[in-house]
Structure formats: C-alpha cells, structure tokens
Amino acid sequence: MEKEMGVWLDSEKAFLISLDEQGESVSRIDSDVEHRVRFRGEKKGFHRLGGMLSNRDKAHLERKKHQLSSYFHLVMNNLKEADKIFIFGPSTTKDWLEREIRKNHDLNSKLAGVENSDSVTERQMIARTREFFNEHQQKRIKN
C-alpha cells in the first residue's frame, strides 16, 4: 500500500494525517506566524526610525511572508515520505502551500488534490482523508 497523507492547515497549525498499512497517525505542526496585534491607542501606520519614517504594516507583511515560508518548508519536509498528498483547510493558506508544493519538483507529482474545508475535529480530518483517497482510487480504476 502506498503512503497517503492528508494535510489540514490554516496559518496557525497544520495536521498531517498519514494513512498506510499500519493504520493512521496524526501529527501537529504549530506555526510561528505572528498575527497583527493592534495596541490600545495606536494610531499611526508608521514609526520614526532615526530621520526616516518606516511603514509598520509593510515590515509586518514582509516578516509574515518569511514566517509563512518557514512554516511551509517545515510542513513540506514532513511530506517527503508520502506517495500521495491531499491538502484541505478553511483559509487561503492551503492555496499558498499548494503553490509552494508546485514549485518543488519532488512533491509536485505527489499532489492528488486541494479542497476547501471548515474547521473540523481530528476524527473528521482522518475520515475526510480516507474518503478522498478512496474516491481518488475509484476514479483511477474507472479510467
């Protein structure tokens, strides 16, 4: 049996659901992506750095982009042993991960599908991953 992996993720955490002949296992990866915190009384969108003005939002977005990149590489390192990959989740983070996987020669051919999903329990993640790969297998048999 091939090793099939499902990934449910948002910008805060990823759950990796692994299905193989031994059964199933779930692991969790927490991201270090910081979210914008607005402090009480904060009004300016910039701050002074010596004689220059700096845009806080631009710096925050750049930092978040690097944090997301590190998060995706951590998730992708855990997917290297998979034969097939299914990504699902409630936000656009799954689409960004899909783009990173498409850039990776080794993982691109393993990507079986990407779909929207609400926030679900761990049991529901396992069930949806099993269901997806069963449907995927049936489509391959018909073709």
Side-chain angles (χ1 to χ4, degrees):
M1 177 181 182
E2 295 180 315
K3 184 166 189 164
E4 302 164 334
M5 292 187 76
V7 181
W8 182 97
L9 83 156
D10 60 18
S11 62
E12 296 175 9
K13 62 197 166 299
F15 289 91
L16 292 107
I17 302 96
S18 178
L19 307 174
D20 57 21
E21 60 272 352
Q22 282 98 15
E24 67 217 18
S25 64
V26 178
S27 59
R28 177 181 169 144
I29 298 174
D30 291 314
S31 81
D32 291 331
V33 177
E34 59 187 59
H35 299 281
R36 178 70 171 110
V37 178
R38 184 160 299 280
F39 298 101
R40 194 175 136 128
E42 183 179 292
K43 296 190 192 254
K44 292 190 234 176
F46 61 90
H47 63 279
R48 194 167 287 281
L49 182 63
M52 299 178 358
L53 294 178
S54 175
N55 184 332
R56 287 185 186 147
D57 291 335
K58 184 177 179 183
H60 174 59
L61 285 174
E62 192 64 27
R63 190 169 53 247
K64 185 174 181 178
K65 186 168 71 173
H66 289 289
Q67 291 167 345
L68 277 170
S69 179
S70 295
Y71 174 47
F72 293 149
H73 282 83
L74 183 60
V75 170
M76 289 167 43
N77 281 338
N78 284 278
L79 295 174
K80 286 181 180 176
E81 61 192 46
D83 295 309
K84 294 179 190 170
I85 302 167
F86 166 54
I87 302 170
F88 59 119
S91 66
T92 58
T93 310
K94 69 183 172 313
D95 301 322
W96 296 334
L97 176 62
E98 178 188 9
R99 278 187 234 131
E100 290 299 314
I101 287 175
R102 297 264 182 226
K103 293 177 194 175
N104 183 302
H105 180 69
D106 295 331
L107 295 178
N108 183 32
S109 61
K110 298 177 181 183
L111 189 60
V114 179
E115 70 180 37
N116 290 326
S117 169
D118 292 329
S119 293
V120 292
T121 66
E122 200 171 296
R123 283 274 148 224
Q124 290 170 321
M125 289 176 201
I126 295 168
R128 181 59 197 128
T129 302
R130 280 196 184 285
E131 185 179 293
F132 174 83
F133 284 116
N134 286 339
E135 291 170 0
H136 191 260
Q137 182 66 25
Q138 289 174 358
K139 285 179 186 175
R140 282 187 17 205
I141 290 172
K142 287 180 183 178
N143 293 334

